[in-house]
Structure formats: structure tokens, C-alpha cells
Amino acid sequence: MYLMLQRVQWCWAHLQRDFQALIDSPDPQAQRLGRDLMRPTEALFCWWRRVRDGTLTRRGLRQKMAPFRREVEALLLRGAFSGNPRLMGMCEGLHKNRAWLWSFVDVEGVEPTNNSSERALRHAVIWRKLSFGTQSAAGSRFVERMLTVIETCRQQTRNPLTYLTQAITAQLHRRDPPSLLHGV
């Protein structure tokens, strides 16, 4: 979720794991709700794959999602009023902010999962685990900036070493550094 961008989309891949946990629970009430929520979730991913491969338009997705959207929201209400503490908290929070479940349906460029964001952060997470972090604020700033350069270059299919060489050369010659903005 990126609240500061005002484009919030809850990750359906995470929700799918939460629904599977309900199915795997020993509680029959949780199992039933989990199965009932899993059905539209699986349909959602089938339709999203069609949007990605170009065989379904956004408009078509909106039409297909409308009944499932109502179904999911009704199921969340069922969980919120179930009297089951395990279901109530999760379902109340999801229902209260239910618009965040559907941003990907209405907003071009928003996906139903945060997989691309998690992939972008994976290198930083691995680096932190392997290196035990930094010892100073200046070290943290350096690492933040280097990891940002590396990931930005990766997303733009640019060589980060080439970019850094150009940036350092520009600094040494008191010129403006090359831009990290795509196409600039």
C-alpha cells in the first residue's frame, strides 16, 4: 500500500494466503469463510491474467468483477458480524477499506498484487540480512542511494556500473550527472 501516492491497492496474493490460512484452520466457521472467499479470488486471478495477456479489456474486467465484488464485500460483512474474533478483525478492516481491494479494476497501471514492488525491494532485503545493516546514518544514506540507483537501472535495463561511472566522471569534471529519470 502506498498511502502517500493516494493509489492504495491491497495485495490479493497476500489476501489469498490469508484466505488459505482460514481454510487450513481447525475452526469450521473460518474454513467455510475461507473457502467462500477463495472462490472469487481464484476467478479474479484468472481474469487478471487475461487482462495482462490482452484477451480481456479493463472494461470487460470491470463488468466481470462487479458481481464478485458484491460477493466478496458481503462475505466480509458476514465475517465482521460472525462473532468469531479470528474473523471479525480481519473482515472489519477489509470491509471498512473495501475500495482498496478494487483499485486495480478501476485505475490503469495498478495491479492486484504488490509482486513488482516486492521484487524491487528483494535485493535490499537480502543485502540487509547478509550485511547486518550499517553503522551510521551516513552509511545508511549511502546504501539507500546505491540500492536505488541499482534498482532503477535494473528497471530501465541500464547497466548500473555504467551509470555510476558516468555520474562520478561528471562530478569530477563539475558537470551535471546523468539523469535516472527514464528517457531524460
Side-chain angles (χ1 to χ4, degrees):
M1 296 190 330
Y2 299 96
L3 292 173
M4 66 183 160
L5 299 176
Q6 299 177 352
R7 288 278 193 258
V8 179
Q9 170 62 55
W10 269 327
C11 177
W12 276 94
H14 286 98
L15 292 172
Q16 187 175 38
R17 287 192 288 272
D18 292 343
F19 301 157
Q20 185 61 52
L22 293 176
I23 293 168
D24 296 339
S25 153
D27 178 353
Q29 189 180 26
Q31 290 174 0
R32 180 170 176 224
L33 184 63
R35 280 191 303 273
D36 291 345
L37 285 165
M38 189 63 81
R39 196 175 37 260
T41 302
E42 289 171 348
L44 176 155
F45 282 115
C46 286
W47 292 328
W48 182 251
R49 281 190 291 277
R50 289 189 54 205
V51 169
R52 276 198 333 228
D53 71 18
T55 60
L56 181 65
T57 65
R58 284 275 177 172
R59 183 172 177 222
L61 178 67
R62 275 192 291 279
Q63 290 171 343
K64 291 204 174 279
M65 287 302 302
F68 283 88
R69 191 173 184 161
R70 289 188 297 273
E71 179 185 4
V72 167
E73 291 176 8
L75 289 168
L76 293 175
L77 276 176
R78 186 176 91 195
F81 289 101
S82 67
N84 183 327
R86 177 171 187 175
L87 302 177
M88 290 170 63
M90 178 184 83
C91 292
E92 283 174 8
L94 289 172
H95 190 269
K96 177 182 175 192
N97 298 298
R98 60 191 173 275
W100 297 348
L101 293 168
W102 315 112
S103 297
F104 78 98
V105 175
D106 301 320
V107 180
E108 189 73 36
V110 175
E111 297 193 7
T113 69
N114 65 1
N115 291 342
S116 58
S117 299
E118 288 191 358
R119 276 192 301 275
L121 291 173
R122 187 169 294 131
H123 293 100
V125 170
I126 291 169
W127 176 86
R128 181 181 48 83
K129 286 182 178 183
L130 294 176
S131 71
F132 304 105
T134 62
Q135 303 302 311
S136 68
S140 294
R141 295 304 78 72
F142 175 79
V143 168
E144 289 169 5
R145 291 171 182 162
M146 287 299 106
L147 291 174
T148 297
V149 166
I150 291 166
E151 181 56 26
T152 301
C153 287
R154 185 193 68 77
Q155 289 178 14
Q156 297 175 0
T157 61
R158 292 169 67 181
N159 184 324
L161 184 57
T162 300
Y163 171 83
L164 288 169
T165 301
Q166 291 169 348
I168 291 168
T169 301
Q171 176 66 28
L172 291 173
H173 292 95
R174 301 195 191 310
R175 294 191 311 250
D176 290 335
S179 177
L180 271 178
L181 299 176
H182 194 56
V184 175

